[in-house]
Amino acid sequence: ASPRSAPAPPSPVPVALTPSPRPLPRLVGRGVELRTLSQLLPGSAARSSERIALLVGGAGIGKTRVLQELALRAESRGVRVMQARAFEAESVRPYGVWVEALRAVPRGEVPDHLRADLAVLLPELGAAVPNGDQPRLFDAIVELLRGAHGTGPGVLVVLDDLQWMDVASASLLHYVVRAAGGGETIAVVCAARTGEVDD
């Protein structure tokens, strides 16, 4: 009798480990604030005439968590959410917070006629307008926001830690709110630390 050969060990199956999404902590005691902020959302039955809100409070008071909950509510209503946060270490990076927020719009949804202007901030869109000027850039961003909702009721721009926003981003925020002020499709909600946002 011939000796039987041992079976070959099974080949290892590659498994990609991806971090499981951590559930957000339960939000307690912010019902009034969330109801008020929800009235800013495009498509809201009780739509407020306001287009921008600023949450101000001390560090650790829960501003970011309120913004997260508002974003979840907006998404559940079909509103496109563009979120970003400013960082103290990047406060000299021009338009840094806007670059992060605008990347929520898939490249395929950026209209061709806006690509060259927006490529100043988003190089992945292609060649930028040579020596792109600020008015063209600002107008292109407002036009992008007006059309970025697709089939949904509108767009919610959420910007956190405004106290560390660079000057160029602050100018763009002012322009977006002013230029889109009469529209029904854009809302902006921001948060900042008390005492640090004054400048």
Side-chain angles (χ1 to χ4, degrees):
S2 62
R4 300 176 93 184
S5 58
S11 300
V13 177
V15 176
L17 294 178
T18 57
S20 59
R22 292 176 50 194
L24 293 172
R26 186 166 177 257
L27 186 63
V28 178
R30 297 292 186 201
V32 172
E33 292 89 345
L34 276 170
R35 277 192 298 279
T36 301
L37 292 172
S38 293
Q39 292 175 356
L40 269 71
L41 296 178
S44 172
R47 177 92 163 127
S48 166
S49 61
E50 301 299 327
R51 298 294 175 262
I52 185 167
L54 175 63
L55 297 176
V56 181
I61 201 168
K63 299 179 299 298
T64 298
R65 181 63 188 92
V66 170
L67 293 179
Q68 291 169 336
E69 187 65 27
L70 181 66
L72 288 173
R73 290 182 181 198
E75 287 172 344
S76 72
R77 297 178 185 185
V79 174
R80 170 165 280 158
V81 177
M82 299 178 173
Q83 287 180 266
R85 165 180 242 157
F87 293 94
E88 185 174 17
E90 297 176 17
S91 60
V92 295
R93 178 183 171 211
Y95 305 110
V97 71
W98 283 100
V99 170
E100 302 307 319
L102 293 170
R103 285 197 166 129
V105 179
R107 275 192 274 178
E109 293 183 25
V110 176
D112 289 340
H113 70 282
L114 297 180
R115 286 178 176 269
D117 291 315
L118 294 173
V120 172
L121 299 185
L122 305 169
E124 61 268 26
L125 293 178
V129 170
N131 300 317
D133 60 80
Q134 192 181 55
R136 282 182 66 162
L137 174 64
F138 282 22
D139 287 337
I141 289 171
V142 169
E143 187 175 341
L144 178 68
L145 291 175
R146 283 187 177 134
H149 54 85
T151 59
V155 172
L156 171 64
V157 179
V158 178
L159 304 175
D160 199 0
D161 285 327
L162 229 60
Q163 71 275 2
W164 293 320
M165 180 183 278
D166 62 278
V167 173
S169 291
S171 296
L172 178 53
L173 174 61
H174 181 273
Y175 184 79
V176 165
V177 172
R178 185 174 63 79
E184 292 293 317
T185 61
I186 302 172
V188 180
V189 178
C190 306
R193 291 185 184 175
T194 306
E196 296 184 43
V197 74
D198 295 342
D199 290 343

